[in-house]
Amino acid sequence: MSVCIYHGGYDTVRKSGVGKALEHQTAALKSAGLPLVDQLPPAGPEARECVVHLNTVLPSALLAAARAHARGCKVVYYGHSTMEDFRNSFLGSNLLAPLFKRWLILCYRQGDVVITPSVYSRRILMGYKIGRPIYTLSNGIDTDFFKPDAGRAARFRTRYSLGEGQKCVMSVGHWMVRKGLPDFVELARRMPQVRFIWFGQTDDALLTDEIRQAMEAAPGNVLFAGYVNAEELCDAYCGADAFVFLSHEETEGIVVLEALACGIPTLLRDIPVYDNWLQDGRSVYKAATLDQFESRLKDMLAGHLPSLKDGGMAVAEARSLRQIGQGLCRIYASSGFLEAAKTSPEAARAEAAAKKRRA
């Protein structure tokens, strides 16, 4: 068996969670011992033993699905996006959301199976009536790269001129209402003694008026650092005093896993996507209103709340890329792809476990 991860449109999504998920699949499959191929094989026995992964909903991915099926390949379509997390994102996204949902359904129906990263997003996609098996599997996290590191912490604090005892709160995401940027700015206004840094950016042409106004009115203790590479972002997770993620809607949130893997105290909006895997007071702290965010964040920075570092890191470790590789093998086995990919030891074990469950 071989796996082809389709990279068409990668440059478009490279700076997003979809781009990161695509990279994670490559590493996860390698950890499971599954051979990867760069191109779709020609029609024939080789193609019938190839599984194609699609991650974007760009038109090129739809065409790639058609080519894959025509050659006899199996297709795994990743359900990274929903209409719900498309809303409140870019200029015009609310108006286009119903059409986007119809497009998503068309795309996801091209998969022999669909994989989505959370129980919550699976529930949403089940409501779309796609008519395909839908599996839940985290996008995963590279715990060999994202981990606590005192040297990284020092480098971050030097880079951003953070003095001894200076508190710093960070967040990551596109500049959009859905990601909670206006609330981040308001938190900074309420806590002028704390440095707030937002990593990530969005093309100016896609910004809504609300985001433009929030950024223009941001107080002096806010820094919009823009897009940074993984090295610098890991430095920030290691060196900042808290990670606050105010997003109103997610299908998982890779940056949350990155933060937890680095052991940074993490405060999230209390939304359904986290219900079954992130417990308030065990691995993260949660808040529902801006006043609650302010109160919780102040207590976290003052050391008035217990450390949840071990619990958060355990959540991340359970979603390491090695675990995700094994999870993909189990999905291949359950789906009957090529007799459960017998070329992989991990897949062979997964096939045996699947047969035992069916018995």
Side-chain angles (χ1 to χ4, degrees):
M1 174 185 176
S2 63
V3 180
C4 176
I5 299 179
Y6 178 67
H7 279 73
Y10 173 69
D11 286 344
T12 302
V13 300
R14 181 175 60 86
K15 296 180 180 180
S16 70
V18 174
K20 185 61 66 175
L22 193 151
E23 296 168 7
H24 286 180
Q25 287 163 39
T26 300
L29 289 165
K30 286 180 178 178
S31 76
L34 289 169
L36 297 173
V37 294
D38 294 331
Q39 303 290 335
L40 291 179
E46 187 179 352
R48 291 194 293 273
E49 295 182 354
C50 182
V51 176
V52 179
H53 282 207
L54 300 176
N55 284 271
T56 77
V57 292
L58 299 172
S60 59
L62 208 62
L63 293 173
R67 288 196 300 270
H69 284 305
R71 298 181 188 188
C73 304
K74 295 295 185 180
V75 174
V76 172
Y77 218 123
Y78 272 81
H80 297 298
S81 300
T82 66
M83 178 185 70
E84 287 73 9
D85 77 351
F86 182 73
R87 290 194 182 111
N88 297 312
S89 296
F90 306 110
L91 188 64
S93 62
N94 288 1
L95 182 64
L96 294 172
L99 291 175
F100 185 65
K101 177 181 177 180
R102 293 173 63 181
W103 176 256
L104 289 177
I105 293 171
L106 175 63
C107 289
Y108 295 159
R109 282 179 175 167
Q110 309 315 305
D112 293 289
V113 302
V114 174
I115 298 177
T116 195
S118 66
V119 171
Y120 171 72
S121 57
R122 181 179 185 273
R123 190 183 313 130
I124 291 175
L125 294 184
M126 290 293 288
Y128 289 5
K129 302 186 185 306
I130 294 167
R132 298 290 184 271
I134 303 176
Y135 294 89
T136 299
L137 184 67
S138 169
N139 287 312
I141 177 65
D142 184 354
T143 52
D144 291 330
F145 180 80
F146 289 100
K147 59 186 177 182
D149 187 309
R152 285 188 176 278
R155 185 163 61 197
F156 166 76
R157 299 189 71 84
T158 298
R159 180 181 294 123
Y160 290 94
S161 302
L162 296 168
E164 185 72 25
Q166 170 71 58
K167 298 298 183 182
C168 177
V169 174
M170 66 171 290
S171 193
V172 183
H174 289 293
W175 297 337
M176 58 179 63
V177 173
R178 177 173 67 83
K179 292 292 185 180
L181 186 145
D183 285 344
F184 186 81
V185 171
E186 179 58 28
L187 272 179
R189 185 173 289 110
R190 295 183 181 192
M191 303 172 65
Q193 74 284 6
V194 177
R195 188 83 177 278
F196 283 72
I197 304 179
W198 183 287
F199 295 94
Q201 67 185 70
T202 296
D203 189 297
D204 285 348
L206 298 175
L207 297 182
T208 63
D209 288 342
E210 184 174 354
I211 290 298
R212 292 183 189 279
Q213 292 166 11
M215 295 179 71
E216 289 170 1
N221 60 325
V222 176
L223 172 65
F224 296 106
Y227 177 81
V228 298
N229 61 32
E231 291 284 349
E232 290 188 40
L233 191 56
C234 189
D235 290 353
Y237 289 130
C238 292
D241 297 284
F243 172 75
V244 59
F245 196 55
L246 298 121
S247 181
H248 295 269
E249 182 72 26
E250 292 290 325
T251 54
E252 181 180 40
I254 289 179
V255 296
V256 174
L257 291 176
E258 292 172 351
L260 295 177
C262 290
I264 183 174
T266 298
L267 176 61
L268 308 175
R269 191 179 298 277
D270 191 2
I271 54 178
V273 68
Y274 305 129
D275 283 350
N276 69 311
W277 60 287
L278 291 174
Q279 293 182 303
D280 185 26
R282 296 286 297 274
S283 52
V284 299
Y285 286 109
K286 297 181 180 180
T289 67
L290 194 57
D291 288 344
Q292 290 174 4
F293 271 107
E294 179 187 4
S295 176
R296 277 263 165 124
L297 187 55
K298 285 180 176 178
D299 284 342
M300 290 167 67
L301 294 177
H304 295 160
L305 294 175
S307 170
L308 306 180
K309 179 178 179 179
D310 290 343
M313 292 182 68
V315 168
E317 189 57 44
R319 290 158 178 80
S320 69
L321 296 184
R322 181 177 178 278
Q323 296 296 329
I324 301 311
Q326 294 175 1
L328 282 169
C329 289
R330 288 192 292 270
I331 290 173
Y332 295 156
S334 297
S335 303
F337 288 176
L338 308 175
E339 297 183 339
K342 288 180 178 178
T343 56
S344 164
E346 294 286 1
R349 287 193 289 272
E351 178 186 24
K355 287 182 177 179
K356 185 177 181 180
R357 287 195 298 273
R358 289 195 293 269

